[in-house]
Amino acid sequence: MSVRLGINPLTWTNDDMPSLGGDTPLETCLSEGKQAGFSGFELGHKFPRDPEVLGPILDNHGLSLVSGWYSSELLTRTAEEEIEAIKPHLHLLKSLGATAMVFCEVSRCVHGRRDVPLSHSPTLSEEEWQTFIPRLNRVADYCQAQGVTIAYHHHLGTLIETPEEIDRLMAETTPSVGLLLDSGHLVGAGGDPVAAQKQYAERIKHVHCKDIRKEVLEDLRNRDLSFLEGVLGGMFTVPGDGFIDYVSLFKGLRDSDYQGWLVVEAEQDPAVAHPLTYARLGHDNLQRFCDEAGLRVTQ
């Protein structure tokens, strides 16, 4: 069993708040990510979406394409409409060797709105659950048949956020719907990543390693702030710089024979948190935690 270490460009330039790192070129993200020791990158808004263009760029840096975020709108689109919408993204991932897709339903989401507190995160009505699940299953079946598995991203400020919502999603979807386990988002929503890993070991297809500064999370909840205010306040950081127990989490991944990517995805203000410094810290801590857990890392 082995894992690979990747990173998301959010360390350098933010998709939800493009003003953060807006002037940082893609070349800087890739060269510094490689310098920090990572083997691959997830997509960001500065990445070309043509595999014939992006492939050589990644190859020049000795990097792999890990995965990429897809925003679904299954509450307003049929499964067939979503499949048509997803095809270019699916083609990009498949062409460049990525086997998992970061997938999130963004209908009524608030994580990109600085003026809306997380206490106002949307929820699914019973009728919407009955619409959403069959459509998601159909899209997931299609993607899996194409060689790419959906890894559903539970995310603060979206319809699937809390442990209870994750439980229902996993209970009612077919095995073609994988789970993206994001340590930071789960803790932020009141969950336990170690417990979730044990419960859904067979469904976990991708892992985001985002640590939490506990005092900032508590302040966000106490002052009823938004997701973006949390980001600006330093709620997220790289593994080992917060309070999440990654060694226990990784021991669970080892025991379940997880063989995918561990991805540092810790959005911070790059003007405050120097990207290369934090990329190196995140990589080195991940490697150390893997070593302690007996989880082998390969390039």
Side-chain angles (χ1 to χ4, degrees):
M1 70 190 74
S2 63
V3 296
R4 301 179 73 189
L5 305 185
I7 193 166
N8 188 288
L10 283 170
T11 298
W12 292 268
T13 177
N14 197 289
D15 283 10
D16 292 325
M17 188 178 288
S19 60
L20 298 182
D23 296 332
T24 304
L26 177 60
E27 173 69 22
T28 299
C29 303
L30 298 178
S31 62
E32 292 189 351
K34 183 65 176 181
Q35 186 178 346
F38 291 100
S39 300
F41 262 81
E42 288 190 338
L43 294 170
H45 70 282
K46 294 181 179 178
F47 284 62
R49 297 307 169 108
D50 181 342
E52 294 185 3
V53 175
L54 180 57
I57 292 173
L58 293 174
D59 288 344
N60 287 340
H61 290 275
L63 292 164
S64 299
L65 178 62
V66 175
S67 185
W69 172 283
Y70 178 77
S71 297
S72 73
E73 299 177 42
L74 284 168
L75 291 188
T76 57
R77 292 199 285 230
T78 65
E80 289 68 30
E81 290 170 337
E82 197 69 72
I83 287 170
E84 286 302 311
I86 210 171
K87 283 180 177 179
H89 187 63
L90 180 62
H91 174 67
L92 174 61
L93 297 182
K94 183 178 178 180
S95 298
L96 297 184
T99 58
M101 178 191 297
V102 178
F103 187 100
C104 184
E105 176 67 22
V106 299
S107 296
R108 302 200 305 272
C109 65
V110 301
H111 65 282
R113 296 184 58 183
R114 191 172 175 180
D115 61 328
V116 179
L118 274 177
S119 61
H120 291 186
S121 290
T123 58
L124 287 161
S125 68
E126 187 59 37
E127 182 179 359
E128 287 173 331
W129 274 107
Q130 300 306 317
T131 297
F132 178 59
I133 294 295
R135 290 178 178 179
L136 177 59
N137 284 335
R138 173 74 181 91
V139 175
D141 288 345
Y142 176 82
C143 290
Q144 189 172 67
Q146 298 298 311
V148 177
T149 300
I150 280 177
Y152 194 96
H153 192 343
H154 56 94
H155 195 291
L156 292 168
T158 71
L159 289 162
I160 306 297
E161 171 185 291
T162 66
E164 294 75 20
E165 289 161 346
I166 296 169
D167 287 346
R168 181 163 182 181
L169 181 78
M170 290 291 94
E172 297 187 11
T173 53
T174 61
S176 62
V177 179
L179 180 66
L180 187 160
L181 179 62
D182 187 301
S183 54
H185 280 282
L186 191 53
V187 168
D192 178 354
V194 175
Q197 187 282 322
K198 290 179 180 178
Q199 184 174 2
Y200 297 117
E202 299 303 315
R203 301 286 292 273
I204 294 170
K205 304 301 179 184
H206 201 49
V207 178
H208 277 176
C209 301
K210 185 201 314 282
D211 215 334
I212 291 273
R213 293 185 176 100
K214 188 174 184 179
E215 68 280 5
V216 184
L217 173 62
E218 291 174 348
D219 181 64
L220 179 146
R221 291 301 187 183
N222 287 338
R223 294 201 289 140
D224 200 21
L225 300 177
S226 67
F227 177 80
L228 290 180
E229 290 293 348
V231 170
L232 291 170
M235 178 170 66
F236 298 126
T237 186
V238 297
D241 192 40
F243 74 101
I244 294 175
D245 179 5
Y246 282 97
V247 174
S248 294
L249 175 60
F250 290 177
K251 284 180 179 178
L253 292 173
R254 177 204 64 199
D255 292 344
S256 66
D257 197 23
Y258 175 75
Q259 299 188 47
W261 288 89
L262 302 178
V263 180
V264 171
E265 193 223 28
E267 54 265 58
Q268 301 186 78
D269 183 347
V272 176
H274 183 253
L276 180 55
T277 299
Y278 276 87
R280 282 174 167 159
L281 179 63
H283 175 275
D284 293 350
N285 285 344
L286 274 189
Q287 180 68 64
R288 176 166 55 86
F289 295 150
C290 286
D291 290 344
E292 291 181 26
L295 193 56
R296 187 167 66 91
V297 175
T298 62
Q299 291 295 312

PDB file of all heavy atoms in Angstrom, residues 163-179:
ATOM      1  N   PRO A 163     -21.826  16.054   9.567  1.00  0.00           N
ATOM      2  CA  PRO A 163     -21.712  14.591   9.634  1.00  0.00           C
ATOM      3  C   PRO A 163     -23.034  13.884   9.322  1.00  0.00           C
ATOM      4  O   PRO A 163     -23.039  12.837   8.662  1.00  0.00           O
ATOM      5  CB  PRO A 163     -21.277  14.343  11.081  1.00  0.00           C
ATOM      6  CG  PRO A 163     -20.546  15.584  11.476  1.00  0.00           C
ATOM      7  CD  PRO A 163     -21.275  16.702  10.794  1.00  0.00           C
ATOM      8  N   GLU A 164     -24.142  14.462   9.769  1.00  0.00           N
ATOM      9  CA  GLU A 164     -25.446  13.847   9.504  1.00  0.00           C
ATOM     10  C   GLU A 164     -25.767  13.858   8.011  1.00  0.00           C
ATOM     11  O   GLU A 164     -26.335  12.877   7.480  1.00  0.00           O
ATOM     12  CB  GLU A 164     -26.528  14.581  10.281  1.00  0.00           C
ATOM     13  CG  GLU A 164     -26.430  14.460  11.794  1.00  0.00           C
ATOM     14  CD  GLU A 164     -25.326  15.317  12.398  1.00  0.00           C
ATOM     15  OE1 GLU A 164     -24.873  16.295  11.737  1.00  0.00           O
ATOM     16  OE2 GLU A 164     -24.906  15.030  13.540  1.00  0.00           O
ATOM     17  N   GLU A 165     -25.429  14.940   7.327  1.00  0.00           N
ATOM     18  CA  GLU A 165     -25.674  15.020   5.879  1.00  0.00           C
ATOM     19  C   GLU A 165     -24.770  14.049   5.122  1.00  0.00           C
ATOM     20  O   GLU A 165     -25.202  13.419   4.147  1.00  0.00           O
ATOM     21  CB  GLU A 165     -25.466  16.458   5.406  1.00  0.00           C
ATOM     22  CG  GLU A 165     -26.565  17.392   5.878  1.00  0.00           C
ATOM     23  CD  GLU A 165     -26.206  18.864   5.830  1.00  0.00           C
ATOM     24  OE1 GLU A 165     -25.001  19.191   5.674  1.00  0.00           O
ATOM     25  OE2 GLU A 165     -27.119  19.705   5.955  1.00  0.00           O
ATOM     26  N   ILE A 166     -23.533  13.910   5.573  1.00  0.00           N
ATOM     27  CA  ILE A 166     -22.628  12.938   4.959  1.00  0.00           C
ATOM     28  C   ILE A 166     -23.166  11.524   5.166  1.00  0.00           C
ATOM     29  O   ILE A 166     -23.159  10.699   4.236  1.00  0.00           O
ATOM     30  CB  ILE A 166     -21.214  13.062   5.551  1.00  0.00           C
ATOM     31  CG1 ILE A 166     -20.615  14.427   5.225  1.00  0.00           C
ATOM     32  CG2 ILE A 166     -20.306  11.948   5.013  1.00  0.00           C
ATOM     33  CD1 ILE A 166     -19.344  14.742   5.992  1.00  0.00           C
ATOM     34  N   ASP A 167     -23.644  11.233   6.372  1.00  0.00           N
ATOM     35  CA  ASP A 167     -24.193   9.904   6.668  1.00  0.00           C
ATOM     36  C   ASP A 167     -25.336   9.569   5.716  1.00  0.00           C
ATOM     37  O   ASP A 167     -25.396   8.458   5.166  1.00  0.00           O
ATOM     38  CB  ASP A 167     -24.695   9.842   8.110  1.00  0.00           C
ATOM     39  CG  ASP A 167     -23.569   9.808   9.129  1.00  0.00           C
ATOM     40  OD1 ASP A 167     -22.410   9.568   8.738  1.00  0.00           O
ATOM     41  OD2 ASP A 167     -23.854  10.058  10.328  1.00  0.00           O
ATOM     42  N   ARG A 168     -26.230  10.511   5.513  1.00  0.00           N
ATOM     43  CA  ARG A 168     -27.370  10.226   4.632  1.00  0.00           C
ATOM     44  C   ARG A 168     -26.906  10.077   3.189  1.00  0.00           C
ATOM     45  O   ARG A 168     -27.396   9.194   2.469  1.00  0.00           O
ATOM     46  CB  ARG A 168     -28.421  11.330   4.754  1.00  0.00           C
ATOM     47  CG  ARG A 168     -29.629  11.044   3.870  1.00  0.00           C
ATOM     48  CD  ARG A 168     -30.847  11.837   4.225  1.00  0.00           C
ATOM     49  NE  ARG A 168     -31.966  11.467   3.369  1.00  0.00           N
ATOM     50  CZ  ARG A 168     -33.173  11.998   3.429  1.00  0.00           C
ATOM     51  NH1 ARG A 168     -33.444  12.932   4.333  1.00  0.00           N
ATOM     52  NH2 ARG A 168     -34.132  11.595   2.615  1.00  0.00           N
ATOM     53  N   LEU A 169     -25.987  10.916   2.771  1.00  0.00           N
ATOM     54  CA  LEU A 169     -25.470  10.824   1.405  1.00  0.00           C
ATOM     55  C   LEU A 169     -24.871   9.443   1.156  1.00  0.00           C
ATOM     56  O   LEU A 169     -25.155   8.794   0.139  1.00  0.00           O
ATOM     57  CB  LEU A 169     -24.410  11.897   1.179  1.00  0.00           C
ATOM     58  CG  LEU A 169     -23.798  11.933  -0.229  1.00  0.00           C
ATOM     59  CD1 LEU A 169     -24.746  12.620  -1.198  1.00  0.00           C
ATOM     60  CD2 LEU A 169     -22.443  12.629  -0.224  1.00  0.00           C
ATOM     61  N   MET A 170     -24.049   8.974   2.071  1.00  0.00           N
ATOM     62  CA  MET A 170     -23.408   7.671   1.911  1.00  0.00           C
ATOM     63  C   MET A 170     -24.420   6.526   2.004  1.00  0.00           C
ATOM     64  O   MET A 170     -24.291   5.512   1.310  1.00  0.00           O
ATOM     65  CB  MET A 170     -22.313   7.497   2.962  1.00  0.00           C
ATOM     66  CG  MET A 170     -21.094   8.384   2.764  1.00  0.00           C
ATOM     67  SD  MET A 170     -20.069   7.950   1.315  1.00  0.00           S
ATOM     68  CE  MET A 170     -20.744   9.043   0.045  1.00  0.00           C
ATOM     69  N   ALA A 171     -25.421   6.688   2.832  1.00  0.00           N
ATOM     70  CA  ALA A 171     -26.418   5.623   3.012  1.00  0.00           C
ATOM     71  C   ALA A 171     -27.298   5.451   1.784  1.00  0.00           C
ATOM     72  O   ALA A 171     -27.718   4.331   1.462  1.00  0.00           O
ATOM     73  CB  ALA A 171     -27.283   5.916   4.239  1.00  0.00           C
ATOM     74  N   GLU A 172     -27.575   6.550   1.086  1.00  0.00           N
ATOM     75  CA  GLU A 172     -28.563   6.496   0.019  1.00  0.00           C
ATOM     76  C   GLU A 172     -27.968   6.468  -1.384  1.00  0.00           C
ATOM     77  O   GLU A 172     -28.704   6.233  -2.353  1.00  0.00           O
ATOM     78  CB  GLU A 172     -29.533   7.676   0.156  1.00  0.00           C
ATOM     79  CG  GLU A 172     -30.322   7.625   1.457  1.00  0.00           C
ATOM     80  CD  GLU A 172     -31.412   8.685   1.549  1.00  0.00           C
ATOM     81  OE1 GLU A 172     -31.705   9.347   0.534  1.00  0.00           O
ATOM     82  OE2 GLU A 172     -31.970   8.839   2.654  1.00  0.00           O
ATOM     83  N   THR A 173     -26.667   6.687  -1.502  1.00  0.00           N
ATOM     84  CA  THR A 173     -26.044   6.604  -2.826  1.00  0.00           C
ATOM     85  C   THR A 173     -25.461   5.215  -3.052  1.00  0.00           C
ATOM     86  O   THR A 173     -25.225   4.456  -2.120  1.00  0.00           O
ATOM     87  CB  THR A 173     -24.925   7.653  -2.987  1.00  0.00           C
ATOM     88  OG1 THR A 173     -24.004   7.541  -1.887  1.00  0.00           O
ATOM     89  CG2 THR A 173     -25.488   9.057  -3.049  1.00  0.00           C
ATOM     90  N   THR A 174     -25.200   4.910  -4.313  1.00  0.00           N
ATOM     91  CA  THR A 174     -24.577   3.648  -4.680  1.00  0.00           C
ATOM     92  C   THR A 174     -23.057   3.748  -4.499  1.00  0.00           C
ATOM     93  O   THR A 174     -22.512   4.849  -4.377  1.00  0.00           O
ATOM     94  CB  THR A 174     -24.897   3.305  -6.141  1.00  0.00           C
ATOM     95  OG1 THR A 174     -24.377   4.346  -6.981  1.00  0.00           O
ATOM     96  CG2 THR A 174     -26.400   3.193  -6.357  1.00  0.00           C
ATOM     97  N   PRO A 175     -22.353   2.618  -4.505  1.00  0.00           N
ATOM     98  CA  PRO A 175     -20.897   2.642  -4.320  1.00  0.00           C
ATOM     99  C   PRO A 175     -20.138   3.436  -5.379  1.00  0.00           C
ATOM    100  O   PRO A 175     -18.971   3.775  -5.171  1.00  0.00           O
ATOM    101  CB  PRO A 175     -20.518   1.158  -4.369  1.00  0.00           C
ATOM    102  CG  PRO A 175     -21.733   0.445  -3.893  1.00  0.00           C
ATOM    103  CD  PRO A 175     -22.878   1.234  -4.448  1.00  0.00           C
ATOM    104  N   SER A 176     -20.778   3.753  -6.494  1.00  0.00           N
ATOM    105  CA  SER A 176     -20.104   4.565  -7.516  1.00  0.00           C
ATOM    106  C   SER A 176     -19.872   5.994  -7.041  1.00  0.00           C
ATOM    107  O   SER A 176     -19.047   6.712  -7.609  1.00  0.00           O
ATOM    108  CB  SER A 176     -20.907   4.582  -8.820  1.00  0.00           C
ATOM    109  OG  SER A 176     -22.176   5.174  -8.628  1.00  0.00           O
ATOM    110  N   VAL A 177     -20.573   6.416  -6.001  1.00  0.00           N
ATOM    111  CA  VAL A 177     -20.346   7.728  -5.385  1.00  0.00           C
ATOM    112  C   VAL A 177     -19.316   7.543  -4.280  1.00  0.00           C
ATOM    113  O   VAL A 177     -19.621   7.023  -3.209  1.00  0.00           O
ATOM    114  CB  VAL A 177     -21.645   8.326  -4.805  1.00  0.00           C
ATOM    115  CG1 VAL A 177     -21.360   9.676  -4.147  1.00  0.00           C
ATOM    116  CG2 VAL A 177     -22.696   8.479  -5.894  1.00  0.00           C
ATOM    117  N   GLY A 178     -18.088   7.958  -4.557  1.00  0.00           N
ATOM    118  CA  GLY A 178     -17.049   7.902  -3.543  1.00  0.00           C
ATOM    119  C   GLY A 178     -17.114   9.123  -2.644  1.00  0.00           C
ATOM    120  O   GLY A 178     -17.854  10.077  -2.895  1.00  0.00           O
ATOM    121  N   LEU A 179     -16.308   9.087  -1.598  1.00  0.00           N
ATOM    122  CA  LEU A 179     -16.269  10.194  -0.641  1.00  0.00           C
ATOM    123  C   LEU A 179     -14.889  10.834  -0.645  1.00  0.00           C
ATOM    124  O   LEU A 179     -13.867  10.140  -0.621  1.00  0.00           O
ATOM    125  CB  LEU A 179     -16.584   9.686   0.769  1.00  0.00           C
ATOM    126  CG  LEU A 179     -16.580  10.736   1.892  1.00  0.00           C
ATOM    127  CD1 LEU A 179     -17.713  11.746   1.701  1.00  0.00           C
ATOM    128  CD2 LEU A 179     -16.693  10.058   3.261  1.00  0.00           C
TER     129      LEU A 179
END
